[in-house]
Amino acid sequence: MYKQPLKASKPFISPLPMASATPTFSELRRQLAARTSLAPVYLLHGEEGYYIDELVKDFENLIPEEERDFNLYTLYAPESGIETVMDVCHRYPMMAERQVVIVKEAQAVRADMLNKLHNYVAQPNPTTILVISCRGAQAKGKELFAAVRKNGVIFESKRLSERNILPVISDLIKEKKLNVDAKALSMLRDYIGTDLSRLYNEIDKLALILGQGAMITPEAIERNIGISKDYNNFELIDAIIARNAAKAFTIIEYFRNNPKNNPTVMTVSSLFNQFSNLLVYHYTRNKTQSGYMDALGLRSPWALKTYEAAARSYNVRQTIEIISAIREFDTRSKGIGSRQNEYDLLKDLVFHILTARGIIG
């Protein structure tokens, strides 16, 4: 029933993966696009679903459209069973060099069941690429892990936090051969956050419109994404640091009139990050530029200037008071102890920040 694969001029799958056994998302995508040094087994797992979804599409694209009926298998671990998975993996591709077997929802299978795959992974079929997908969760099964580490590739898709999203945005922009100024980068962080699907879509859009080598500016973002270059969280924080009350309250009124693009949760998150980092700045023992940058996880000395200015405006006690006020806003905005409109609460919070005297307790 199954025919032997056609003889290839060079092997499609390496007997052992020549690339890093723990590649980044970008590295793995480049390897799949180049179709070189591919491993016989891949284990994709982790909380961030976007990366795994995109990689699964890339694995599917290894098989030409006209061959997919015969050489692309998508199995669901809870329904198919591990024995079926191994049986399919041992088959030969139909009139082709290779087949791809994608096992989804593997996180829903018990560890002892997943471990049964380790016998196959120890001696995989050289004409099969097996992809084990544990979307949204850590993979289970120590024996399977050990076998994949030896004969395959493990990719962990970690969920990003607001603290570490900036480097991801910056790297993606560089990957698209674009440049970005600091304000534009902060605008993207504030309004896209950790929504990777939206982030990749917006950066792709900017790359298409602006072209390689272009600079992403606040004006470009305003024009193409719809975020105001003058009324945003970056400008609000600048106004607060400068103690420019008139500008700060003007921005809040803009937010009130444009709530869809300016949710208070994003604004307050930005304020909390700013002042919690400012507290780190105040307590950093190594008072050199490199010491501050290491403590705050900053890549550019330019980003440090914001905290230098903030430290001149708000001392340690004021910073602690402000963080307490932000926490109180969070409670009141959820309707606990207050029925005020969220933008009225935000206005009160900013007034509290601007007038903080450093009263603790």
Side-chain angles (χ1 to χ4, degrees), residues 32 45 47 72 79 88 119 138 241-242 267 322 327 337 344:
L32 294 174
H45 73 127
E47 296 180 353
L72 175 63
E79 301 170 9
V88 173
N119 289 323
Q138 298 292 309
I241 290 173
T267 300
I322 289 166
R327 293 186 186 280
D344 289 334

Side-chain angles (χ1 to χ4, degrees), residues 275-340:
F275 283 97
S276 60
N277 283 343
L278 179 57
L279 194 61
V280 172
Y281 179 96
H282 278 304
Y283 280 109
T284 296
R285 292 184 178 182
N286 184 351
K287 303 296 184 180
T288 64
Q289 184 182 80
S290 60
Y292 284 125
M293 289 179 64
D294 287 344
L296 294 167
L298 302 177
R299 290 187 175 186
S300 166
W302 190 95
L304 187 60
K305 293 180 180 179
T306 301
Y307 297 104
E308 292 170 344
R312 291 192 291 269
S313 292
Y314 301 95
N315 62 31
V316 173
R317 293 179 67 86
Q318 289 171 313
T319 303
I320 294 172
E321 179 187 341
I322 289 166
I323 291 172
S324 177
I326 294 172
R327 293 186 186 280
E328 183 181 353
F329 169 91
D330 183 59
T331 300
R332 296 176 69 192
S333 68
K334 294 171 181 173
I336 302 173
S338 175
R339 293 186 179 181
Q340 279 184 278

